């Protein structure tokens, strides 16, 4: 292991401060740069004024920096070419490295080694953007550009390579690949530290969020990941916390001296004093366990000296080993490959061979329309999208794949599964995709050949991989053979290519049951048993199936029913991912019992006439529109409460208003809400939790609920007059489903409160700033998913750290009262959050709590005392129940995983809409427009 990483494991390392702004302050002359033509090329100074560059290194070392960065930030051939210095690329980078090396070696002692980071910044291109001039470069060109610079820097003696201020995740991937390419060619191996830049919204320039950054860099196996430039530490806080909790590697943070401001003469001012910057960064070390800190634009040796002192005075938080599932990532966000509840839904229809529509659109090069189909798939509930462009009519699958992947990357938040039999097509797709894709697929049909050509691609791009259970003897048909083939693939992929098992997805093959051939009668049973066998023989791997294959040849209605039934049994057996058309799936419990039995008979080969009976049923019932629609179409009779309940559960939006009116004849509006609507939605939530419903259905039910509540609202008593208080409401970051929160909004507003509703997906920082701004009486937080509920304790910790005192009310499908009691305590359960953390089971309990919090002091005090008592008692009983568990950090539910919910649509930002100089201060953006 490298000395740099070894030391990083022992203590926090301090990086140096700015090079660019330090050089600027010296007011160097044209001569210093070797002539007016080179003015502004800071890298040329390593040749013309090495004394100046070395003095800056020395000043930082004297201030206590452990690591100095070479003066090579814009030293790639592409950037140097702008000054006509491209052919000096090697000299400049080599000299930049030796200069820093000399300065470090002069100061280093065995107790206090000093390290040289070979700095490599962005090229100024935005390879994954749609801008024609900024994207006029390829992944391979970028890879070679970074490879060249890396070779020279390592040749000059750097201890690590630092990719910093990176703007485009695809460029960052290409840079890492370039470095690795040089390692493979024999270059001395050094650690790779990768630092993208986030703009104030917490995303990269093209909209990539921190989850996608973390998932992608994690899959690339970088040694350190972090953030630098663009903003001060405050704006990075949420993202750094995320990295420290989720990255499997070391984390670095190198902010500017505050968010840059414009001075009176239009100059850039970095507002933070050494003390301010140091205090904030030391807090990252103490609160999150950041491993390396330093300064970017506007920081000076004084900042670094203050930083060194501040970091020395805090106890770094120990980051616990991260046990989390593999994720796929788009250029927008990441999605866990292990959904809870299972399965991960992969939309099957962007497939030239599985959809006539897509085939037609590909033949016509109508990419925009394909993007619309992709959007439909995502809106229908697909977590990922399978993409296949193979056409017998055209020879240019790679060209079409490239174009389609680029378009999808810019507008679809669901990560892609690249489906092709051609390694070349897979490669082109991966080279144009900024996130972490899934490759579909490898197998052993011609022995190892396919694996040996595709696995290196999976490694270079960090892709996950679907593997089919096919070997030299053909498709494995029995469960036993499926497991055997899977094991062979596993041994090669994991044993030889070091794939993480969690990134291996075995597809043990689905055959159609529609032919009635004897050979395939047991095929579904074998497939289901194959899933069980693979999951138990190869721990940690995932499974997938092209579910719709099971019904090829049947009529659409029969297909929908059989697909849904087969999927249900596969998921019960442990299936993790399903290639389906999500819209066509019906929840098992909703399928007519008779149809379910017909399908079960066929799937499990329970009677010889199973196929005939199924076909006959659907022929006889052709007009009934099939099982899938039965649940939707037929309106059951019965009491009104039951009919409303069913309408919500079965996603029937039409006529809901009339039903509400009917219910209002015998009940008050509040009773309708309380006794009919809320229990119905709870039933939906419970079924989701048990895996009976997939998320798209929950959302459709929520739509019905919304419509019902909107109608009911006019009848709810509205209290006029002065506001009773102000509540800031938000659905937390990561969660895009806000039905619960909207309901609370309605109830509070109708009871005289001013509600500041921040919507969904709200970062904690935004919530707290708004609460301060409006002087809130309480903050209300909602979360649908277990993973996003983790934002709730963060609200308390952040308030505690910032000295804020807003009571917090939490609610949502994934949490319960015990969770509320647990998070009411800070510092691993040792200290009560004095303003109070309250769990509300529903909107009405939320209203009661807000009433108590804004009411008489005595009532408020009584409430707080009770909550505190309960929290402490619950903590004590957990201690006695499980002594060791009490000390472990927060875990919401036993065995829970940090699953990533379906992301929101972010969309792309046009370059024109951003003032890039705001975004990228340490880089001369004017060069982008040259
Ligand atoms: N395993 C893996 N990958 C796969 C498959 C698999 N990729 C391709 C395929 N099988 C899964 N994809 C589809 C796509 C569409 C359909 C079935 C599987 C399908 N299409 C309709 C039809 O053909 O009737 C719709 C046609 C249309 O709209 O024109 O059923 O098994 N790893």
């Amino acid at each position: 292991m490298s000395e740099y990483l070894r030391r990083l494991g022992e203590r926090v390392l301090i990086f140096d401060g700015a090079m660019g702004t330090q050089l600027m302050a010296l007011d160097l002359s044209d001569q210093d740069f070797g002539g007016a033509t080179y003015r502004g090329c800071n890298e040329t100074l390593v040749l013309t004024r090495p004394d100046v560059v070395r003095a800056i290194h020395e000043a930082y070392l004297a201030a206590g920096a452990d690591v100095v960065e070479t003066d090579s930030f814009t030293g790639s051939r592409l950037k140097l070419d702008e000054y006509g210095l491209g052919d000096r690329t090697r000299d400049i980078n080599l000299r930049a490295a030796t200069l820093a090396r000399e300065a470090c070696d002069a100061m280093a002692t065995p107790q206090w080694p000093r390290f040289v980071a070979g700095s490599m910044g962005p090229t100024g291109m935005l390879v994954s953007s749609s801008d024609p001039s900024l994207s006029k470069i390829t992944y391979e060109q970028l890879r070679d550009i970074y490879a060249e610079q890396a070779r020279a820097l390592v040749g000059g003696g750097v201890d690590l390579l630092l990719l910093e201020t990176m703007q485009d995740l695809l460029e960052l991937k290409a840079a890492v690949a370039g470095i690795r390419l040089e390692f493979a060619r024999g270059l001395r191996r050094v650690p790779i530290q990768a630092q993208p830049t986030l703009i104030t919204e917490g995303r990269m320039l093209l909209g990539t969020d921190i989850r996608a950054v973390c998932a992608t860099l994690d899959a690339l196996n970088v040694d350190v990941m972090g953030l630098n430039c663009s903003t001060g530490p405050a704006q990075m806080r949420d993202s750094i916390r995320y990295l420290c909790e989720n990255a499997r590697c070391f984390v670095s943070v190198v902010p500017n001296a505050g968010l840059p401001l414009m001075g009176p003469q239009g100059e850039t001012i970095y507002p933070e004093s050494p003390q301010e910057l140091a205090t904030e960064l030391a807090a990252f070390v103490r609160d999150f366990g950041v491993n390396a800190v330093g300064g970017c634009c506007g920081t000076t040796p004084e900042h670094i000296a203050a930083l060194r002192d501040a970091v020395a005075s805090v106890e770094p938080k120990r980051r616990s080993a991260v046990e989390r599932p593999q994720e796929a990532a788009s250029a927008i966000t990441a999605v866990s490959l292990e959904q809870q509840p299972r399965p991960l839904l992969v939309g099957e229809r962007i497939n030239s061979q599985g959809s006539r529509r897509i085939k037609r659109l590909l033949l016509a090069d109508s990419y925009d329309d394909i993007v619309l189909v992709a959007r439909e798939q995502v809106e229908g509930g697909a977590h990922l999208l399978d993409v296949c462009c193979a056409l017998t009519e055209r020879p240019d699958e790679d060209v079409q794949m490239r174009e389609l992947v680029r378009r999808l990357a810019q507008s679809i938040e669901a990560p892609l599964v690249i489906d092709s039999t051609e390694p070349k097509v897979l490669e082109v797709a991966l080279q144009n995709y900024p996130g972490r894709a899934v490759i579909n697929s490898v197998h052993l049909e011609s022995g190892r050949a396919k694996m040996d050509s595709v696995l290196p691609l999976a490694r270079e791009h960090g892709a996950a991989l679907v593997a089919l259970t096919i070997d030299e003897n053909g498709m494995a048909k029995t469960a036993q053979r499926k497991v055997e083939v899977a094991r062979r693939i596993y041994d090669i992929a994991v044993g030889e290519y070091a794939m993480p098992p969690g990134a291996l997805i075995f597809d043990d093959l689905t055959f159609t049951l529609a032919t009635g051939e004897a050979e395939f009668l047991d095929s579904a049973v074998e497939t289901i048993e194959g899933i069980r066998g693979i999951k138990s023989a190869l721990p940690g791997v995932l499974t997938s199936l092209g579910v719709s294959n099971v019904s090829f040849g049947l009529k659409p209605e029969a297909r929908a029913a059989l697909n849904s039934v087969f999927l249900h049994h596969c998921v019960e057996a442990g299936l993790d991912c399903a290639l389906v058309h999500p819209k066509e799936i019906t929840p098992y419990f909703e399928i007519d019992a008779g149809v379910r039995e017909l399908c079960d008979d066929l799937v499990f080969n329970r009677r010889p006439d199973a196929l005939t009976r199924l076909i006959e049923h659907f022929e006889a019932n052709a007009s009934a529109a099939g099982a899938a629609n039965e649940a939707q179409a037929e309106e059951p009779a019965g009491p009104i409460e039951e009919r409303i309940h069913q309408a919500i559960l079965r996603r029937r939006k039409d006529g809901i208003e009339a039903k509400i009116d009917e219910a209002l004849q015998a009940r008050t509006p509040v009773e309708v809400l309380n006794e009919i609507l809320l229990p119905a939605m709870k039933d939906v939530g419970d079924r989701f939790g048990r895996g009976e419903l997939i998320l798209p259905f929950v959302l459709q039910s929520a739509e019905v609920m919304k419509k019902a509540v909107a109608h009911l609202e006019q009848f709810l008593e509205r209290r006029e007059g002065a506001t009773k208080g102000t509540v800031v409401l938000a659905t937390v970051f990561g969660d895009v489903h806000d039905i619960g929160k909207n309901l609370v909004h309605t109830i509070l507003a109708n009871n005289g409160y001013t509600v500041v509703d921040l919507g969904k997906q709200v970062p904690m920082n935004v919530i707290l700033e708004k609460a301060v701004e409006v002087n809130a009486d309480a903050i209300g937080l909602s979360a649908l998913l277990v993973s996003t509920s983790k934002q709730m304790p963060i609200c308390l910790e952040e308030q505690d750290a910032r000295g804020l005192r807003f009571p917090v009310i939490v609610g949502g499908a994934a949490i319960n009262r015990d969770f509320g009691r647990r998070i009411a305590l800070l510092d691993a359960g040792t200290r009560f959050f004095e303003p109070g953390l309250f769990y509300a089971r529903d909107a009405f309990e939320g209203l009661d709590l807000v009433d108590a919090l804004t009411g008489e002091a005595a009532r408020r005090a009584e409430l707080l005392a009770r909550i505190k008592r309960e929290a402490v008692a619950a903590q004590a009983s957990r201690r006695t129940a499980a002594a060791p568990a009490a000390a472990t950090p927060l875990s919401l539910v036993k065995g829970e995983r940090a699953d990533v919910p379906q992301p929101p649509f972010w969309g792309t930002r046009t370059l024109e809409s951003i003032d890039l100089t705001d975004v990228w201060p340490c880089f001369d953006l004017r060069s982008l427009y040259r």
Side-chain angles (χ1 to χ4, degrees), residues 486-504:
R487 192 189 298 278
R488 255 183 86 197
I489 291 173
Y490 180 98
D491 287 344
I492 297 171
V494 177
E496 295 179 33
Y497 287 97
M499 286 284 290
L504 260 189

Side-chain angles (χ1 to χ4, degrees), residues 641 644-651 672-689 693 695-709 737-741 743 784 812-813 842:
E641 50 269 39
I644 293 177
H645 190 105
Q646 287 301 322
I648 291 173
L649 180 61
R650 308 280 165 128
R651 314 175 293 286
V672 170
L673 193 53
N674 234 348
E675 294 166 12
I676 306 179
L677 298 182
L678 290 174
M681 206 53 213
K682 180 168 182 338
D683 187 20
V684 172
D686 290 347
R687 286 175 190 266
F688 174 61
L693 287 171
L695 193 57
F697 295 140
V698 178
L699 300 183
Q700 288 166 25
S701 289
E703 285 299 314
V704 183
M705 180 76 178
K706 262 188 211 166
K707 201 169 173 198
V709 171
H737 313 299
D738 62 352
I739 170 76
K741 187 258 312 163
L743 213 56
L784 177 74
D842 56 33

Side-chain angles (χ1 to χ4, degrees), residues 745-815:
H745 181 155
T746 301
I747 302 291
L748 287 177
N750 281 314
N751 282 279
Y753 289 95
T754 303
V755 178
V756 181
D757 189 336
L758 296 173
K760 48 198 175 183
Q761 273 280 34
V762 191
M764 201 46 69
N765 193 37
V766 174
I767 297 170
L768 294 178
E769 281 177 3
K770 181 56 79 176
V772 171
E773 183 193 319
V774 303
N775 191 23
D777 292 293
I779 294 173
L781 300 177
S782 165
L784 177 74
L785 301 172
V786 170
S787 60
T788 51
S789 311
K790 286 180 180 162
Q791 289 280 315
M792 292 171 169
I794 290 176
C795 182
L796 271 54
E797 289 160 21
E798 276 299 297
Q799 287 207 56
D800 198 46
R802 300 182 193 190
L804 300 177
R805 301 184 48 85
F806 299 106
V808 180
I809 303 173
V810 299
I815 64 170

Side-chain angles (χ1 to χ4, degrees), residues 348-349 351 354-357 386 419 440-441 466 468 507 545-546 548-549 552 559 579:
E348 70 182 14
R349 286 297 161 90
N351 188 330
S355 161
R356 277 177 292 274
R357 184 166 163 208
D386 190 64
D419 190 343
N440 184 12
S441 55
V466 175
L468 308 178
D507 180 328
L545 283 179
S548 319
N549 300 352
F552 263 132
R559 288 199 70 177
L579 244 89

Side-chain angles (χ1 to χ4, degrees), residues 748 843-853 859 863:
L748 287 177
F844 295 97
E845 189 174 352
L847 175 63
D848 287 345
L849 286 165
V850 177
D851 281 342
L853 286 170
R859 191 167 161 215
L863 171 68

Side-chain angles (χ1 to χ4, degrees), residues 557-671:
E557 296 79 31
R559 288 199 70 177
L562 184 58
N563 292 351
S564 301
V565 167
F566 181 55
L567 175 64
H568 171 82
H569 295 303
C570 292
V571 170
E572 292 235 297
L575 186 72
D576 299 289
C577 320
L579 244 89
V580 288
H581 189 43
K583 270 189 176 161
E584 272 178 14
I585 298 299
T586 308
Y588 189 66
F589 75 90
E590 275 182 25
I591 298 171
D592 171 88
V595 173
R596 219 156 59 187
E597 195 176 335
L598 289 172
C599 293
D600 283 346
D601 285 344
L602 184 59
V603 166
F604 294 109
N605 190 18
R606 287 197 299 217
R607 44 192 297 166
D609 56 353
L611 177 63
T612 323
R613 279 165 45 101
L614 184 72
I615 291 171
E616 276 169 4
H617 172 87
F618 280 97
E619 259 158 24
N621 295 278
S623 58
N629 294 331
E630 245 164 63
Q632 294 253 316
E634 266 171 47
E635 162 106 24
I640 185 61
E641 50 269 39
E642 181 56 23
R643 280 188 282 134
I644 293 177
H645 190 105
Q646 287 301 322
I648 291 173
L649 180 61
R650 308 280 165 128
R651 314 175 293 286
R652 273 194 303 266
K653 218 170 176 175
D654 288 347
I656 187 73
E657 280 110 339
K659 290 194 193 76
I660 298 290
D661 290 338
E662 197 180 329
L664 282 169
Q665 289 166 9
R667 285 184 163 88
T668 67
V670 168
E671 283 166 354

